Amino acid sequence: RPLQLKAVSLSFPDKTCFQRFSTDIHPGSKIALIGPNGSGKSSLLGIIGGTVRPDSGSLDVPQEVRIVSVPQHPAGDTLSGAERFQR
């Protein structure tokens, strides 16, 4: 059974990261999130990992799925928009 994002939306006061985003991630899949700094990649991973709550939509994680993450180590001027927002 896949992990499912259904119509997930996330925005901040000054920008919208994504609206009504849906996808299935099947067991064994390899995925990549590609986009410019501040586009919402880390926030999307936060939604999947349970550390960020979306404005709307739902996340269905099968019981047998374990989600782990390795924190980023930002340096200098390479901070994304979301990282700047959190400081």
Side-chain angles (χ1 to χ4, degrees):
R1 205 167 69 101
L3 179 149
Q4 295 180 315
L5 290 157
K6 299 176 188 174
V8 172
S9 297
L10 181 68
S11 61
F12 295 102
D14 59 337
K15 71 183 277 179
T16 298
C17 291
F18 37 87
Q19 292 181 311
R20 300 191 52 78
F21 175 71
S22 298
T23 193
D24 293 348
I25 302 172
H26 294 272
S29 295
K30 292 183 173 122
I31 64 167
L33 298 177
I34 301 169
N37 284 350
S39 62
K41 299 178 303 290
S42 295
S43 296
L44 180 59
L45 290 174
I47 290 170
I48 293 170
T51 61
V52 174
R53 185 179 179 128
D55 298 331
S56 61
S58 64
L59 170 67
D60 180 21
V61 180
Q63 198 169 18
E64 65 275 10
V65 170
R66 187 176 76 154
I67 298 172
V68 296
S69 65
V70 176
Q72 295 183 28
H73 299 288
D77 292 330
T78 61
L79 296 178
S80 73
E83 290 167 332
R84 285 189 208 111
F85 179 80
Q86 293 173 351
R87 289 189 172 221

